[in-house]
Amino acid sequence: MEPIDRTRIYELMNKYSFSGATLRSFRVQHRSKSQLNATLVISLLNKNRTKRYRLKIVFFNVVEFRFQKRPNSSLKRISDVRMAFFNEQFFMNLDPYEEIGLPTVADFRNSDAFLGSERAEYELEEILKK
């Protein structure tokens, strides 16, 4: 697994198409009374839509998260993704609003599906056609 930093965010957002991706799993793990980890698995395509990938992101020391299912909404299909660092914490949003200017941490917190953690790592695997 590779750490997610500011450079990796740029690479991931420009290399892969998160719009229309599929949420495969979301898992929360209580490591101790004060430590929470989360794992997110997403199926997505590359930008030219020729290859499918499975992206696994592990969030370590989660500081906040929300996954809320509302009527008439789908958390299975992802409309888009935003990633950013605020106060040295990594945030990921799976249903962002339209951006007006630079995103703030409040933009992530207003989402129905977001995570914030002290650090995160990812693993990318190509899904071969059968």
Side-chain angles (χ1 to χ4, degrees):
M1 297 198 73
E2 297 184 42
I4 296 178
D5 56 20
R6 286 169 175 81
T7 306
R8 293 281 184 215
I9 289 175
Y10 181 78
E11 289 174 9
L12 288 169
M13 297 303 290
N14 286 314
K15 217 172 171 183
Y16 303 98
S17 178
F18 287 89
S19 180
T22 304
L23 177 63
R24 293 291 177 195
S25 69
F26 174 63
R27 180 177 172 187
V28 176
Q29 300 165 302
H30 295 272
R31 292 294 187 195
S32 68
K33 220 175 189 180
S34 61
Q35 184 183 4
L36 180 77
N37 293 350
T39 303
L40 189 70
V41 179
I42 300 171
S43 174
L44 67 155
L45 298 170
N46 60 347
K47 280 291 185 180
N48 59 7
R49 300 183 135 355
T50 57
K51 295 180 182 177
R52 180 165 292 282
Y53 293 88
R54 181 173 293 117
L55 174 64
K56 176 181 178 182
I57 301 177
V58 179
F59 298 82
F60 297 96
N61 298 326
V62 173
V63 291
E64 56 186 307
F65 76 93
R66 174 186 298 141
F67 267 75
Q68 182 173 350
K69 173 73 172 92
R70 294 186 185 270
N72 303 322
S73 70
S74 170
L75 276 181
K76 183 171 173 133
R77 283 282 176 213
I78 297 171
S79 61
D80 205 356
V81 166
R82 298 283 186 271
M83 295 183 229
F85 277 90
F86 301 105
N87 299 325
E88 299 304 315
Q89 294 175 340
F90 173 69
F91 281 80
M92 183 173 186
N93 182 344
L94 299 179
D95 67 339
Y97 294 110
E98 290 296 317
E99 279 190 39
I100 301 173
L102 293 174
T104 65
V105 72
D107 295 324
F108 286 76
R109 289 179 177 146
N110 288 332
S111 169
D112 287 338
F114 85 96
L115 292 118
S117 68
E118 291 180 4
R119 69 184 179 90
E121 295 179 358
Y122 79 98
E123 180 177 86
L124 199 61
E125 174 188 349
E126 184 177 348
I127 301 172
L128 301 174
K129 294 178 183 176
K130 294 181 181 181

